[in-house]
Amino acid sequence: AIIDGNFKLVIPDAKGGEQHRELFDLKTDPAETTNIISQQPARAETLAAQLQQWQQSVLTSLCGSDY
């Protein structure tokens, strides 16, 4: 998951199946009951790209490639 401002993107582990992404507006829906990904697909893609970039940087650090 990644949080940016009021928005939280959740990408559970698909375990061989299709990923089911969820996007929540934490300001208007703090209990995370309404998935708004269909209303904000561009925001979800941006957050997913940011999360992937962060995950790659973590992997790079774990392998020692950035030292």
Side-chain angles (χ1 to χ4, degrees):
I2 183 171
I3 296 174
D4 184 32
N6 296 335
F7 296 93
K8 178 179 180 181
L9 178 69
V10 179
I11 307 174
D13 185 11
K15 297 192 191 249
E18 185 178 331
Q19 283 185 336
H20 174 73
R21 296 179 177 186
E22 297 177 308
L23 180 67
F24 301 103
D25 182 339
L26 298 175
K27 184 175 182 179
T28 61
D29 182 20
E32 301 175 16
T33 60
T34 305
N35 184 1
I36 62 166
I37 201 161
S38 63
Q39 290 91 10
Q40 303 242 3
R43 185 178 306 274
E45 286 303 317
T46 298
L47 288 172
Q50 289 174 353
L51 179 59
Q52 185 177 23
Q53 183 180 16
W54 175 80
Q55 289 171 326
Q56 185 60 47
S57 74
V58 169
L59 183 59
T60 299
S61 290
L62 285 173
C63 295
S65 299
D66 60 350
Y67 295 105

